[in-house]
Amino acid sequence: MVAAMIVKKVDQFIFLWFLAIYAPAATFCANVTYDHRALIIDGNRRVLISGSIHYPRSTPEMWPDLIQRSKDGGVDVIETYVFWNLHEPIRGQYNFEGRSDLVKFVKEVAAAGLYVHLRIGPYVCAEWNYGGFPIWLHFIPGIKFRTDNEPFKAEMKRFTAKIVNMMKQESLYASQGGPIILSQIENEYGDVDWAYGPAAKPYIKWAASMATSLDTGVPWVMCMQADAPNPIIDTCNGFYCDQFTPNSNAKPKIWTEGYNGWFLYYGGAVPYRPVEDLAFAVARFYQLGGTFMNYYMYHGGTNFGRTTGGPFVATSYDYDAPLDEYGIIRQPKWGHLKDLHDSIKLCEEALIATDPAVTSLDPNIEVAVYKTDNVCAAFLANINTTIDVTVNFSGNSYRLPAWSVSILPDCKNVVFNTAKINSASTVSIFRAESLKQDVGSLENDSLGWSWISEPIGISKNDSFSKFGLLEQINTTADRSDYFWYSLSIDLEDGDDAGSQTVLHIESLGHALYAFINGKLAGGGTGNNTNATVNVDIPVTLVTGKNTIDLLSLTVGLQNFGAFFDTWGAGITGPVTLKGLKNGSTIDLSSQQWTYQVGLLGEDLGLSSGNAGQLNSQSTLPKNQSLTWYKTNFVAPSGNDLVAIDFTGMGKGEAWVNGQSIGRYWPTYVSPNSGCTNSCDYRGYYYQSKCLRNCGKPSQTLYHVPRSWLKSDNNTLVLFEESGGDPTKISFARKQIGSVCSYISESHPPPIALWNSDTESGRKAGPVLSLDCPYPNQVISSIKFASFGTPYGTCGNFNHGSCSSNSALYIVQKACIGSSSCNINVSVNTFGDPCKGVTKRLAVEASCM
Ligand code: GAL
């Protein structure tokens, strides 16, 4: 008997060892289905938290940390779109390398033990160039995008099947033991289907059956598609989704895009969303029957190269996400959401067991109880935007701040309130560092830079002439942002040459520069809401031959709206010269123009640092339009994440060691108004509610991934369009300035202590915790500490009328020299400086 048991144990050991070695990372074959209440994974309903990370918006070197930090933040699922134009830039020629290595990304997620939601689209919107469609698609004869059109459907099916088969070959679906539990087809078609008329419905039906026929073994969703055909789950996108109900009682309530903030565009201020409101939105969703929500974005990252859409979407896609553009944890957002996720998970058993019983105590107080014979969890919401209230629930009274939800995993004790942040906050700073040029490359005359002018007008052999004005995208096929329109006209003596004449240009966008006789005469730009450019440029013409060279630019192709693929760009006219002799006007629109797609420097490969052509002997030109610049530099030392500060430059694109870090445009300034010093989280959020940085450039700092840098001999190449001074360019290192925490006596205790009162019989109270953000750091100083009625925000705390004398000393004693510290926020620790008042402890510390 004993021997038999030993044999059995050994067998088990070998079996487990075999599984550990040969099983795909982290998960076993799982059957994924759903019912009215939740996704069901291997027979178990699951409450899931998901976060968007779009793989090409970071580097493969960053992926493991991003995924781990998501996991540490309580995320179970990583959601990503699949970017068709990245993977199939030329029809039939695929790219799955580097930042496009989708399989590697999915495997990294699996290795961390998380699930994947793969949103194939293949239309993705996403502020991505052309919404993710490859430009060649536009040139297929007879094609009409996103409608019941055979050529489009054939291509959409081919690419979708390609991705599904790729995932299958690598066994990445949960049904095969992989991490993918969910997939999306199309994207928010329900927002535009009206415009596609009667063809919309058959298209959506076709998309649904095409997707299901691919037999992934896991469910499909369509977002914002109220008529999503069975078995596709229709899901909600928005700032709030608590009021959403799917189109069948057999489908779970899923929120595919819960916005953390919003995207930045050139000419806009920087949007942010207070975490108290975001947490409120998420808690409301789970309160009212939701079981799967996804943060759009959990890490937004960077629009490298020419990947942004819009037009005018900025290079930074930070999105005010829990992980910032650089991948660093953003506090208190990350921490407060982690506490929220942990609290929701404490309710999981009750949430999956039943529907909530929802009652309204008054129009603004909504109580949801998930109760069975064994478990009970409750959510108490105060949706009033200004008034805090005390409510009575199950014989106990609870104080609910305005616009907040309290979570009670046992229907009795509050583990979390969305408006009370227990997590510490950090202030991150960019420390400027001058650009260190490699000594070997220093040239006295040109300050370490070499340069070359891009010719104005036509310079390439592949230019061509045509009567009339050509639409840009149809002509360039997006091979370049740049498109030249050139003309020469002869003026006779007396044609008013030399006097003030006006060149009138009408363009579909997105920006343009006009050169007259080789000199920049003016230009214009559209904006994020209206890309068109209509300008009247005063010009001086001469008797005889005059050249008119118009450089039209795209700044990311349109990515949303009905038929957005056909909106076009470029100078479609009219183009006229007004104010000639006797006030006459010449319409140049239908003349014979000469065209050039792209720049000579692009053809010469200057962006990769091909220096042969560049000049380093003569004086460095500054504020000169259309100039390529190059320098060699030493990377900022250490491991801090780095950005280039382009203040001093105009507009262009930059490459580090041949890799494009994106379009820079530090001169596009946001409007002076619309920002608030402190944004009230209470009340409905919308994308322009909370803005910072008004009246300042939308983006001056551009992320340079560390893995793109060598320690020295790095090349930086710029193509500057409007004119700038490259010697003003500097680096910025991202560092944490201060760590702060601000906890009141009425805060719930830390979630980690949730079970402690049942064990010790004592109820835990609120605790202030500080943690140094980086390993090997300790708290080096306490810049501020006050117990009483302090006010302000991290970096700007002040003592209130009531404050304990011993706060600073107590906090210093508890924290200095340690990497983290915890202090009970109570009169037992600090004494009572003002009886009868709810006191707060505010601390600002530095780590070194
Ligand atoms: C949604 C869309 C996303 C993204 C988002 C805004 O409508 O589905 O792809 O564009 O808006 O960031």
Side-chain angles (χ1 to χ4, degrees):
M1 181 71 178
V2 172
M5 273 172 68
I6 290 172
V7 169
K8 210 170 159 205
K9 277 241 150 83
V10 170
D11 275 348
Q12 268 176 1
F13 174 77
I14 291 173
F15 174 70
L16 288 174
W17 172 84
F18 181 85
L19 275 185
I21 301 283
Y22 292 103
T27 43
F28 300 121
C29 269
N31 179 23
V32 186
T33 56
Y34 61 81
D35 67 5
H36 151 73
R37 197 62 208 101
L39 285 185
I40 302 174
I41 303 179
D42 270 346
N44 299 316
R45 287 184 182 144
R46 293 296 309 275
V47 169
L48 295 168
I49 313 279
S50 169
S52 291
I53 301 178
H54 296 158
Y55 51 98
R57 288 178 155 140
S58 52
T59 60
E61 290 78 6
M62 292 167 70
W63 294 343
D65 280 348
L66 296 177
I67 294 162
Q68 187 60 43
R69 286 171 193 161
S70 308
K71 184 179 183 183
D72 295 344
V75 164
D76 309 293
V77 183
I78 300 293
E79 176 278 334
T80 182
Y81 280 129
V82 177
F83 300 88
W84 188 357
N85 52 11
L86 198 70
H87 295 306
E88 198 177 356
I90 298 172
R91 190 168 184 276
Q93 291 183 25
Y94 295 99
N95 163 31
F96 289 97
E97 302 291 309
R99 284 186 294 120
S100 310
D101 195 341
L102 173 61
V103 166
K104 181 172 177 159
F105 180 76
V106 172
K107 287 184 175 172
E108 292 285 4
V109 178
L114 299 187
Y115 296 122
V116 170
H117 174 199
L118 195 68
R119 300 172 84 194
I120 301 179
Y123 166 64
V124 296
C125 193
E127 291 67 70
W128 192 261
N129 197 41
Y130 217 37
F133 285 132
I135 197 77
W136 51 259
L137 203 62
H138 174 72
F139 296 100
I140 290 180
I143 201 158
K144 283 200 181 107
F145 287 13
R146 303 181 76 198
T147 187
D148 193 14
N149 169 276
E150 293 310 321
F152 178 76
K153 291 190 301 185
E155 292 300 319
M156 172 165 164
K157 178 171 182 187
R158 190 178 55 78
F159 180 73
T160 308
K162 162 102 190 162
I163 295 297
V164 166
N165 290 334
M166 209 169 160
M167 298 299 115
K168 280 188 187 170
Q169 265 159 27
E170 300 280 343
S171 297
L172 293 175
Y173 284 102
S175 49
Q176 305 170 292
I180 306 173
I181 53 165
L182 204 59
S183 233
Q184 180 177 302
I185 193 77
E186 248 296 339
N187 190 75
E188 294 193 337
Y189 190 66
D191 282 358
V192 291
D193 54 3
W194 57 272
Y196 292 82
K201 196 122 202 140
Y203 166 61
I204 272 309
K205 279 198 175 146
W206 167 83
S209 64
M210 182 272 284
T212 12
S213 76
L214 296 174
D215 209 10
T216 59
V218 303
W220 288 89
V221 304
M222 281 183 175
C223 61
M224 303 294 272
Q225 193 69 49
D227 59 354
N230 293 336
I232 313 272
I233 307 168
D234 60 318
T235 66
C236 181
N237 292 347
F239 290 113
Y240 305 88
C241 276
D242 46 86
Q243 300 301 318
F244 170 77
T245 35
N247 65 13
S248 143
N249 202 36
K251 298 177 185 176
K253 175 167 169 176
I254 292 183
W255 184 5
T256 29
E257 293 180 21
Y259 306 112
N260 293 93
W262 200 244
F263 60 88
L264 176 70
Y265 54 86
Y266 287 120
V270 179
Y272 65 98
R273 184 174 188 186
V275 68
E276 296 95 325
D277 170 58
L278 179 58
F280 171 82
V282 175
R284 288 285 287 155
F285 178 73
Y286 287 95
Q287 172 177 25
L288 299 180
T291 38
F292 181 116
M293 85 76 52
N294 172 68
Y295 293 97
Y296 190 101
M297 304 289 297
Y298 199 80
H299 171 254
T302 309
N303 293 311
F304 296 113
R306 300 172 57 241
T307 58
T308 67
F312 297 101
V313 171
T315 293
S316 168
Y317 200 64
D318 179 87
Y319 229 100
D320 198 26
L323 303 178
D324 71 15
E325 178 179 2
Y326 298 77
I328 305 281
I329 287 172
R330 172 174 272 128
Q331 292 285 45
K333 201 165 226 182
W334 182 91
H336 193 49
L337 295 176
K338 174 185 166 53
D339 288 348
L340 168 65
H341 305 153
D342 291 351
S343 309
I344 291 168
K345 287 300 169 69
L346 286 172
C347 306
E348 180 167 17
E349 217 186 314
L351 288 177
I352 57 170
T354 173
D355 279 334
V358 182
T359 47
S360 290
L361 301 185
D362 78 39
N364 286 319
I365 308 297
E366 201 164 56
V367 173
V369 180
Y370 292 87
K371 189 171 170 21
T372 67
D373 291 347
N374 309 318
V375 281
C376 185
F379 291 70
L380 315 182
N382 176 4
I383 55 178
N384 192 299
T385 58
T386 48
I387 304 168
D388 300 355
V389 289
T390 302
V391 299
N392 225 296
F393 166 68
S394 269
N396 293 310
S397 91
Y398 299 87
R399 184 80 183 151
L400 290 178
W403 204 254
S404 82
V405 179
S406 281
I407 300 178
L408 291 65
D410 56 359
C411 282
K412 188 164 168 235
N413 294 293
V414 175
V415 68
F416 181 86
N417 175 277
T418 55
K420 294 191 171 170
I421 301 179
N422 263 330
S423 166
S425 54
T426 50
V427 177
S428 67
I429 47 169
F430 279 96
R431 212 174 279 287
E433 178 162 317
S434 55
L435 188 146
K436 280 197 211 73
Q437 276 144 331
D438 257 356
V439 185
S441 73
L442 282 179
E443 298 288 343
N444 286 341
D445 284 347
S446 55
L447 305 163
W449 290 86
S450 48
W451 60 277
I452 190 169
S453 294
E454 173 69 26
I456 290 162
I458 307 300
S459 60
K460 302 198 312 164
N461 299 335
D462 57 0
S463 65
F464 58 93
S465 296
K466 270 248 153 76
F467 285 97
L469 292 163
L470 293 179
E471 191 281 325
Q472 182 159 349
I473 299 167
N474 276 311
T475 320
T476 64
D478 199 33
R479 277 177 286 151
S480 167
D481 279 1
Y482 304 100
F483 188 37
W484 281 107
Y485 296 68
S486 282
L487 188 70
S488 63
I489 52 163
D490 269 313
L491 290 187
E492 285 171 16
D493 200 8
D495 265 350
D496 260 359
S499 72
Q500 284 295 297
T501 303
V502 167
L503 176 64
H504 174 79
I505 308 170
E506 293 189 25
S507 162
L508 295 177
H510 309 149
L512 74 86
Y513 301 98
F515 297 83
I516 301 293
N517 296 326
K519 292 231 154 47
L520 183 61
T525 176
N527 59 51
N528 177 255
T529 45
N530 180 4
T532 60
V533 189
N534 292 334
V535 283
D536 281 300
I537 302 171
V539 294
T540 305
L541 302 173
V542 295
T543 302
K545 188 178 160 221
N546 290 276
T547 53
I548 300 177
D549 294 302
L550 308 179
L551 181 59
S552 174
L553 289 91
T554 49
V555 192
L557 301 192
Q558 184 72 31
N559 64 267
F560 74 98
F563 307 106
F564 71 85
D565 48 299
T566 61
W567 294 6
I571 304 166
T572 47
V575 175
T576 58
L577 273 175
K578 299 194 280 195
L580 287 165
K581 192 174 176 181
N582 307 327
S584 68
T585 295
I586 315 180
D587 191 339
L588 305 173
S589 313
S590 49
Q591 302 227 0
Q592 190 178 28
W593 293 80
T594 304
Y595 292 98
Q596 175 180 309
V597 175
L599 306 174
L600 182 63
E602 289 178 309
D603 282 12
L604 295 175
L606 296 185
S607 61
S608 56
N610 178 2
Q613 326 275 333
L614 275 71
N615 174 351
S616 55
Q617 302 307 319
S618 58
T619 310
L620 179 72
K622 293 181 183 170
N623 300 319
Q624 178 178 296
S625 58
L626 306 193
T627 310
W628 294 86
Y629 294 101
K630 180 188 165 217
T631 193
N632 289 340
F633 67 96
V634 180
S637 59
N639 296 324
D640 289 344
L641 296 167
V642 290
I644 295 182
D645 186 339
F646 278 104
T647 305
M649 298 303 288
K651 174 182 184 300
E653 188 173 347
W655 296 263
V656 170
N657 296 328
Q659 305 253 31
S660 172
I661 61 169
R663 296 187 185 93
Y664 65 81
W665 200 347
T667 49
Y668 209 152
V669 172
S670 68
N672 280 319
S673 61
C675 287
T676 41
N677 274 342
S678 69
C679 184
D680 190 347
Y681 67 82
R682 299 172 305 173
Y684 280 100
Y685 181 82
Y686 47 92
Q687 65 234 45
S688 59
K689 181 180 178 188
C690 305
L691 300 173
R692 50 171 71 103
N693 219 32
C694 279
K696 297 197 183 132
S698 302
Q699 190 183 351
T700 53
L701 296 169
Y702 294 76
H703 181 203
V704 183
R706 266 282 172 193
S707 62
W708 292 1
L709 292 170
K710 306 173 274 178
S711 60
D712 53 13
N713 204 20
N714 296 286
T715 60
L716 170 63
V717 175
L718 316 174
F719 176 64
E720 171 57 44
E721 295 161 11
S722 54
D725 178 354
T727 64
K728 296 222 169 92
I729 289 175
S730 59
F731 272 93
R733 300 156 73 120
K734 194 170 168 69
Q735 296 176 339
I736 301 289
S738 293
V739 179
C740 294
S741 191
Y742 192 25
I743 308 287
S744 78
E745 287 178 302
S746 70
H747 269 56
I751 298 191
L753 299 182
W754 170 248
N755 279 322
S756 66
D757 55 333
T758 36
E759 280 158 20
S760 68
R762 249 182 318 119
K763 195 165 159 29
V767 176
L768 179 139
S769 305
L770 292 175
D771 245 312
C772 285
Y774 295 113
N776 308 324
Q777 281 188 326
V778 292
I779 296 167
S780 53
S781 74
I782 303 296
K783 297 189 200 162
F784 181 90
S786 180
F787 179 74
T789 53
Y791 60 95
T793 52
C794 189
N796 285 309
F797 284 133
N798 293 291
H799 292 280
S801 54
C802 152
S803 83
S804 139
N805 293 332
S806 50
L808 183 62
Y809 173 74
I810 292 170
V811 175
Q812 282 173 333
K813 212 163 147 232
C815 299
I816 291 206
S818 311
S819 62
S820 66
C821 59
N822 299 311
I823 302 165
N824 290 327
V825 180
S826 113
V827 289
N828 295 336
T829 317
F830 294 97
D832 195 344
C834 45
K835 293 211 163 53
V837 173
T838 305
K839 285 160 283 291
R840 308 182 283 269
L841 174 62
V843 177
E844 179 180 351
S846 320
C847 291
M848 264 188 10

